[in-house]
Amino acid sequence: MKPIVIAKNLTKSYTKGLLALDNVSLTVNQGKVLVVMGPSGSGKSTLIRTFNGLETFDKGEVNVLGIKIDPDHNERKIQKIRKRVGMVFQQFNLFPHLSILENITLAPVHVQKRRQIEAEEYGMYLLSQMGIDSHAKKYPSQLSGGEQQRVAIARALALKPELLLFDEPTSALDPERINEVLDAMRRLAKQGMTMIVVTHEIGFAKEVSDQVLFMDSGKVIETTTPDIFFSNAKHERSRKFLNQLDKY
Amino acid sequence: MKKSQKIFVQFGICFFVISLVGLLINNLTINLTRTGLGFNFNWLFKPASFALAEHPLPYSSSDNYAWALFIGWLNSLKVIVSSLMLATVLGTLIGFARTGKNALLSLLSAGYITIIRQTPLLLQLMFWYFIGFLGFKDNTFIHIKNIIKISNQGIELSGLTLSSEFSALLFGLGIFTSAYIAEVIRGGILSVPKGQWEAFRSLGLSEKKGLLSIIIPQALPAILPGLTSQYLNLAKNSTLAIAVGYSDIYAINDTIINQTGRAIECFLILLTSFLLLNLLICNCMEIINKTILNSRKYN
């Protein structure tokens, strides 16, 4: 089993006394899907953002694909990681002034120095995988939320990443649009993509994840398999959270 | 309010405005008759009989007032366009430094913006002229042979000679406006959602590439209107040229009023000149704005 992400004793405080991350450790192996759950403000987003250097931390160490980052936040190492790790955001964050295809080819052409035509061909392939190749010439604002999020996934895949980070990818979507995005993520998991997913989607977590990590107030409350977590969570805090989720 | 009342109020306002304008015109006619000058522009073609230190086109004191005014307008245009360029370049650099990650640069540019914005422009012009250019010890500040010479005679830059008056005005106006432009640029950059920065960074794009391809194109629509008003302010502020003795349109107008007493005509000319100048700036910016908005295929 090759570890892709190893985090050791990550600690981060925003303001004095309030910890965003409190001694968080975890390991994600190649081809595995880790779902991170927890109430809002529990530090889930902060945690996965440290894995590609969008967030700094005060103590501890992160090792992504064999590249170590420590609290010094070495830009060159982070740049190396970003070229090999894709990220999908809650608000899609597509570039509104670029067409769908341009959104996807920008990084391969400028970061990996691939030829434009080659990047476009691969971009079209990714779009067809996501079922949105007919929109290639359109602009983000002309697409529905679900379509935009699928473009964002294709954009993240364009660099052929070895790890994908998802930060609440379906939280900003209409309920009937959620499944088209989750389906795309299921297919990626089946193809063996290593993924870390922050989500509240229980169905997705049960079906796709290999591990569920539950956080509260910056601490890892428990890490376990989805079977155990959803039927027989050890901790009172986890059970309380799941009960709350069930009500919706 | 009833309809009849409304009409009455409207009528009252019209009456007031017309009376006011009438009163002013009456005053003017009485004063013009008293001075025995009358309202005409024939004097424009009499010889100006004053010398001008700077003239981009040939000029001598035997040329007429009209030509002197045109030279002044050209002088104004020259100083406005060049300080506009200096202000834009400086302002853009400082605006980016202010928003950038480098803490020292950000602090320095914040200090620059604060000092420049919170002192009067007239004071800054005086500083550049009397302390800056005229105050150089031994009359020379920098002299690199055949490349640049900065002295109390102004700036000489490989063949191009700028008088100390023009240089002081260029520095004063350029630096003063650059502080405001820096803030406009900063506002534009901040108007781009944080997610756009995170998105390009997470794709491994460099900060430079991200700024050029992602942030600036989205910041421009927010920057341009503010930039236009700063350009218009700069144009109007250029009339302070008189303080350092640069012969711009305002200074020449001033001299002509002293010589001929034609204050009304001269102020009309001044008004029209600035209207023309600012309409020119406004229209250029509008064209740029439209080009950018039309090239945008998204909302």
Side-chain angles (χ1 to χ4, degrees):
Chain A
M1 287 273 225
K2 186 180 157 199
I4 299 289
V5 178
I6 307 166
K8 276 185 204 155
N9 311 104
L10 281 184
T11 300
K12 179 189 177 80
S13 57
Y14 280 124
T15 43
K16 262 192 183 156
L18 189 73
L19 289 174
L21 295 175
D22 188 354
N23 211 19
V24 176
S25 297
L26 64 88
T27 303
V28 181
N29 287 321
Q30 189 166 30
K32 300 293 180 190
V33 177
L34 171 72
V35 162
V36 181
M37 292 192 129
S40 56
S42 60
K44 325 179 282 289
S45 290
T46 310
L47 176 67
I48 70 160
R49 279 157 186 268
T50 59
F51 298 156
N52 69 347
L54 286 182
E55 292 273 358
T56 56
F57 47 91
D58 306 328
K59 275 182 219 151
E61 180 189 298
V62 180
N63 186 321
V64 180
L65 301 160
I67 304 164
K68 249 188 236 171
I69 23 178
D70 42 35
D72 289 345
H73 205 77
N74 182 306
E75 284 290 336
R76 278 195 31 227
K77 285 185 181 169
I78 285 166
Q79 211 62 14
K80 272 187 193 164
I81 292 174
R82 285 175 180 165
K83 288 174 187 175
R84 295 167 63 187
V85 175
M87 186 158 194
V88 176
F89 301 89
Q90 182 178 352
Q91 298 296 340
F92 331 134
N93 295 349
L94 295 179
F95 306 129
H97 59 301
L98 301 179
S99 75
I100 300 304
L101 192 58
E102 285 165 346
N103 260 278
I104 293 171
T105 57
L106 183 74
V109 170
H110 291 281
V111 177
Q112 294 181 330
K113 311 288 173 206
R114 276 196 250 164
R115 289 190 4 253
Q116 181 72 30
I117 188 135
E118 190 190 324
E120 276 176 15
E121 265 170 27
Y122 189 59
M124 285 310 293
Y125 162 75
L126 288 172
L127 284 176
S128 67
Q129 289 285 296
M130 294 289 148
I132 37 176
D133 44 336
S134 58
H135 296 321
K137 292 271 184 303
K138 289 186 184 168
Y139 284 80
S141 62
Q142 295 169 293
L143 269 57
S144 73
E147 287 163 343
Q148 288 192 48
Q149 195 60 300
R150 282 182 285 159
V151 174
I153 296 174
R155 181 175 71 176
L157 288 171
L159 289 172
K160 300 183 178 161
E162 292 152 76
L163 166 69
L164 272 186
L165 306 170
F166 290 87
D167 189 2
E168 302 205 31
T170 56
S171 299
L173 297 176
D174 290 340
E176 61 263 42
R177 292 292 189 169
I178 289 177
N179 263 321
E180 60 191 58
V181 172
L182 291 180
D183 283 342
M185 291 165 65
R186 281 188 193 103
R187 282 200 303 276
L188 285 172
K190 265 190 203 136
Q191 289 162 15
M193 177 62 80
T194 314
M195 294 160 48
I196 302 178
V197 185
V198 173
T199 185
H200 296 301
E201 294 296 329
I202 297 181
F204 176 83
K206 276 181 183 167
E207 188 192 332
V208 180
S209 74
D210 299 291
Q211 260 190 322
V212 175
L213 184 147
F214 179 74
M215 285 182 83
D216 188 28
S217 315
K219 283 193 197 69
V220 177
I221 306 293
E222 61 183 299
T223 313
T224 177
T225 62
D227 287 348
I228 295 172
F229 184 74
F230 291 109
S231 60
N232 197 11
K234 260 186 286 179
H235 288 263
E236 178 58 33
R237 184 69 190 87
S238 318
R239 286 200 293 273
K240 203 176 140 204
F241 175 77
L242 288 170
N243 277 333
Q244 287 292 322
L245 270 191
D246 276 346
K247 284 181 188 162
Y248 294 102
Chain B
M1 215 190 278
K2 267 191 278 175
K3 204 178 173 187
S4 58
Q5 277 175 312
K6 275 188 190 171
I7 292 172
F8 184 73
V9 170
Q10 301 250 354
F11 184 76
I13 293 172
C14 280
F15 181 75
F16 178 74
V17 173
I18 291 170
S19 324
L20 197 69
V21 173
L23 190 74
L24 290 173
I25 292 177
N26 186 46
N27 250 344
L28 186 64
T29 345
I30 289 171
N31 280 324
L32 284 176
T33 328
R34 194 167 52 84
T35 53
L37 284 170
F39 184 81
N40 67 62
F41 286 94
N42 300 335
W43 53 272
L44 271 176
F45 303 101
K46 287 180 185 156
S49 61
F50 56 77
L52 288 177
E54 269 176 72
H55 42 86
L57 293 176
Y59 172 85
S60 74
S61 52
S62 57
D63 283 326
N64 60 27
Y65 284 120
W67 187 246
L69 281 167
F70 181 66
I71 297 287
W73 194 76
L74 284 183
N75 275 341
S76 286
L77 194 66
K78 184 173 125 189
V79 82
I80 289 167
V81 171
S82 39
S83 22
L84 194 140
M85 289 192 286
L86 177 69
T88 309
V89 172
L90 265 180
T92 308
L93 290 177
I94 289 159
F96 279 118
R98 177 88 180 84
T99 33
K101 272 187 182 171
N102 189 315
L104 180 69
L105 273 181
S106 174
L107 192 73
L108 282 176
S109 41
Y112 175 93
I113 292 168
T114 310
I115 291 170
I116 301 293
R117 285 209 308 172
Q118 280 157 28
T119 47
L121 173 59
L122 187 59
L123 191 80
Q124 291 181 32
L125 286 176
M126 297 291 196
F127 171 83
W128 288 111
Y129 188 55
F130 291 108
I131 301 175
F133 283 94
L134 294 192
F136 289 133
K137 216 181 164 189
D138 303 328
N139 300 338
T140 305
F141 177 58
I142 298 175
H143 191 183
I144 304 165
K145 223 178 174 185
N146 295 331
I147 302 173
I148 191 167
K149 184 182 177 193
I150 300 178
S151 68
N152 63 353
Q153 300 296 307
I155 304 175
E156 273 176 57
L157 191 75
S158 51
L160 182 77
T161 317
L162 308 170
S163 70
S164 46
E165 290 78 21
F166 177 86
S167 308
L169 206 54
L170 171 72
F171 275 55
L173 283 175
I175 288 173
F176 182 77
T177 314
S178 75
Y180 289 86
I181 289 181
E183 286 293 271
V184 170
I185 302 266
R186 185 166 80 102
I189 294 173
L190 292 181
S191 77
V192 179
K194 222 178 127 218
Q196 294 291 311
W197 292 84
E198 292 183 341
F200 86 69
R201 283 179 183 149
S202 75
L203 286 168
L205 288 165
S206 66
E207 293 290 303
K208 195 178 127 203
K209 179 67 193 163
L211 264 179
L212 287 175
S213 300
I214 307 300
I215 305 301
I216 295 177
Q218 294 185 65
L220 268 183
I223 288 173
L224 283 172
L227 203 58
T228 308
S229 20
Q230 291 313 323
Y231 286 172
L232 296 178
N233 280 341
L234 187 146
K236 289 178 282 182
N237 287 339
S238 74
T239 48
L240 285 173
I242 198 169
V244 295
Y246 179 72
S247 5
D248 79 325
I249 179 88
Y250 186 83
I252 290 178
N253 250 284
D254 209 56
T255 313
I256 296 178
I257 292 173
N258 279 336
Q259 281 192 0
T260 63
R262 298 274 174 185
I264 311 275
E265 292 91 333
C266 277
F267 276 113
L268 276 177
I269 290 170
L270 196 63
L271 217 71
T272 323
S273 314
F274 270 94
L275 207 62
L276 273 175
L277 255 171
N278 277 350
L279 281 174
L280 193 77
I281 296 175
C282 233
N283 280 321
C284 286
M285 292 304 282
E286 190 56 28
I287 290 167
I288 296 174
N289 206 355
K290 281 227 175 90
T291 322
I292 288 172
L293 288 182
N294 288 342
S295 71
R296 261 196 344 179
K297 295 169 207 82
Y298 65 99
N299 301 311

